[in-house]
Amino acid sequence: MLRCLIKGPLLPRRRLLLLQPRRASATSSAAAGEIAPAPAVKEAALEDDLVEESHSRLVRDTCRLLELRESWSAKREAQLRHLLRVLSPPQVRAVLRARAERDARAAFEFFRWADRQWKYRHAPEVFDEMLALLSRTRLHDPARRVMRLMIRRGMRRGPQQFAHLMLSYSRAGKLRSAMRVLQLMQKDGCEPDISICNVAVNVLVVAGRVDKALEFAERMRRIAVDPDVVTYNCLIKGLCGARRIIDALEMIGSMLQNGCPPDKVSYFTVMSFLCKEKRVEEVRNLLERMRNDAGLFPDQVTYNMLIHVLAKHGHADEALGFLRESEGKRFRVDEVGYSAIVHSFCLNGRMAEAKEIVSEMISKGCRPDVVTYSAVVDGFCRIGELDQARKMMKHMYKNGCKPNTVTHTALLNGLCKVGKTSEAWELLNKSEEEWWTPNDITYSVVMHGFRREGKLKESCDVVVQMLQKGFFPTAVEINQLIHALCKEGKPAEAKDFMEQCQSKGCSINVVNFTTVIHGFSRQGDLESALSLLDDMYLTNRHPDVVTYTVVVDALGKKGKMKEATELVQKMLNRGILPTPVTYRTVIHRYSEKDKVEELLNLLDKMLARQEFSSAYNQVIEKLCAFGKLSEAYNLLSKVLRTASKRDAQTCHVLMESFLYRGLPLQSYNVACRMFQRNLIPDLELCQKVDSQLALAGETQAAGKLIIKFVERGILKQSD
């Protein structure tokens, strides 16, 4: 395919159907492409007006009314309708863009509402804006509806609009639907251009369909749409992502043959991949090839790219080598390039080299900035040299560089890692005196430090102060503290802490409630667990199957089987389907309490909602474990419906249980029932059964199992 793209003939224009790649998988998880459709000339001319209109009073008033949408009244809707009629198309676009910054769905709702108003119709550029905003999201269905509305009203449509729809499908992982947009273009009588073809190529590349992208690029040539440098760069990126570096280099050579000289991006894409792999010699060869073949000389941008990519992937020595080479060619390396190398050395724990680079920067008149110093402070803290970190912070002050929040947070993190969280907490409380402002990460560092040291009260105090400062811990961080409190046997304190966070506006989810409920259940406080379960519905946080399973397990452990049954039925009535863990929990607790009849009735209801093939297998095996062999034998018909290995395993467990308790005849009966169902029992186990039958004097049954094996040709008569 690559050779076809390189040497493919230029054929006359044919139908757009030629662009359709062979069927792609509907389950592809393609992300959105990085290439957006090129804006039209008119769109570019209106962009300045759009920026200016976004600050107008009409736009601000409209956005303010839309923010109050949940508390709308007839009066407010009338005000919005009046504003809509005086808004110009650029102002409507500005409103859509402002809404989409927070929620693209809200922007689409306003778009639909406005279009239904009397004596108002969206201008074509408003449709274009809505499509462009939706193309940045996964909302492919609204984008499709906008496009259909444009077709229904006979509005102008070009490749740019279809490209927006293609991007929406792509971001949603709908690869096949994205490529079908080309068919929609064909039906609409719209000829493809290079812009939408490039979007299609990039969509295929990002989806990991490099061969499909190469095939598509070949078909572009057949309809007289010659690939340009953007097309080739997308393909090169895809080939590098697939680790087909030789094909990527061939692609660069083919660009020159096809009259499309590669640009620096073409070479930079391959160089970035080689830098990640630490293939420096090949990078140098490619630099030489870039100079000789394409006449592109390495400049400061080239060396900066190489330095940053190498440093980013931990190849500090190689990055430093290119920095020296850049300086040898009298290119100026700024503090950003030096900082990248310093940061790479610090991540590898090579602090001596990092300090040498900082000293070199100062000697060359390139003053290290706060980012560089912060990287060094963090590096010292990573290896536990806190004294060196403090010295570096003093050095910062001497060189006129004030430590910022990142610098102080790195120091506090270092203190917490060596078990000095109390000292870190003191420094945090002195932040106002030191003229720096902690952020949410700073508080989280100290909070986790106290949690790791088992000082949960102090950790909760950090969260309280964090909330007072306007920072909110994540639901995961809250759950870690709740779990730690419950693990120490303090579920009541965990509940109070969770409610306090919730009252301050923190995001509390179902997992947080479940953790507290589990804490109460472990302590045996079932009343509090059930009460909290009911509270979840009051706070509009519906319990999931994990929450119910935890409570059911606790009720079963206490022997409250009636309450456990009612709770399972309540779970099923709410449409929550049981999981394998739920089945195992119910089977274990009911079998343990010898509630077999109630268990079977409950299993019938659960299996009617959610099938679980090994449910009765687990019941029999669990009953055997608790010594209830007669009940287990009565359920044998439930698992002898199929000749599966799982059913055979269950029968073997029952046979071994009978043998263990000196009941070989019952074990013999299980084996006979297996033979009747064409399920062959284990030969060694059957030999044990025969031996015990003989010892027990069961002469009629002894030896018959071996005969059944002989009759089926599994054993020879001589055996």
Side-chain angles (χ1 to χ4, degrees), residues 20 23 175-185:
Q20 291 297 320
R23 176 169 294 184
L175 177 59
R176 187 183 298 177
S177 299
M179 302 311 295
R180 281 178 180 169
V181 173
L182 296 171
Q183 292 180 349
L184 182 61
M185 284 183 64

Side-chain angles (χ1 to χ4, degrees), residues 547-557 564 567-568 585-586 589:
T547 316
Y548 278 105
T549 303
V550 166
V551 182
V552 168
D553 183 56
L555 290 169
K557 192 174 182 180
L567 191 60
V568 174
T585 301
V586 170
R589 291 306 177 191

Side-chain angles (χ1 to χ4, degrees), residues 547-683:
T547 316
Y548 278 105
T549 303
V550 166
V551 182
V552 168
D553 183 56
L555 290 169
K557 192 174 182 180
K558 288 289 185 179
K560 299 184 177 182
M561 310 313 298
K562 181 180 179 181
E563 291 84 348
T565 303
E566 292 175 354
L567 191 60
V568 174
Q569 291 177 345
K570 182 179 179 181
M571 178 188 77
L572 296 175
N573 293 335
R574 293 186 180 275
I576 301 174
L577 301 179
T579 65
V581 177
T582 313
Y583 276 104
R584 286 195 293 269
T585 301
V586 170
I587 290 170
H588 177 81
R589 291 306 177 191
Y590 279 78
S591 300
E592 181 185 35
K593 302 300 179 182
D594 198 13
K595 300 290 184 180
V596 181
E597 186 175 350
E598 291 89 336
L599 172 61
L600 297 178
N601 293 333
L602 189 57
L603 280 181
D604 289 339
K605 297 177 182 178
M606 294 171 66
L607 291 170
R609 297 294 184 89
Q610 182 68 35
E611 187 64 32
F612 186 56
S613 59
S614 64
Y616 288 105
N617 298 78
Q618 293 190 19
V619 173
I620 292 175
E621 292 169 9
K622 190 62 67 174
L623 289 172
C624 289
F626 288 117
K628 301 173 177 59
L629 302 185
S630 59
E631 293 88 344
Y633 185 78
N634 293 334
L635 293 174
L636 193 58
S637 59
K638 296 282 188 179
V639 300
L640 285 178
R641 296 173 181 175
T642 60
S644 66
K645 292 182 178 180
R646 184 71 177 86
D647 294 340
Q649 177 186 348
T650 303
C651 293
H652 293 157
V653 170
L654 184 57
M655 290 174 64
E656 289 175 347
S657 299
F658 278 127
L659 287 178
Y660 179 76
R661 287 166 178 78
L663 301 172
L665 187 59
Q666 287 82 345
S667 184
Y668 166 80
N669 292 334
V670 174
C672 290
R673 293 181 65 176
M674 291 179 68
F675 278 116
Q676 291 172 3
R677 294 289 184 176
N678 293 323
L679 192 63
I680 307 301
D682 181 68
L683 177 59

Side-chain angles (χ1 to χ4, degrees), residues 24-83:
S25 172
T27 59
S28 173
S29 58
E34 296 178 1
I35 295 181
V41 176
K42 185 177 180 181
E43 181 71 18
L46 293 174
E47 192 65 27
D48 293 338
D49 293 339
L50 180 62
V51 174
E52 182 178 350
E53 292 293 352
S54 63
H55 301 291
S56 67
R57 182 176 179 181
L58 284 174
V59 172
R60 292 200 307 268
D61 291 345
T62 305
C63 292
R64 192 177 301 112
L65 277 174
L66 290 174
E67 291 292 334
L68 303 173
R69 184 68 185 266
E70 294 182 357
S71 59
W72 259 16
S73 61
K75 181 178 179 181
R76 284 179 176 169
E77 187 165 358
Q79 292 174 351
L80 185 61
R81 194 178 295 114
H82 173 73
L83 286 172

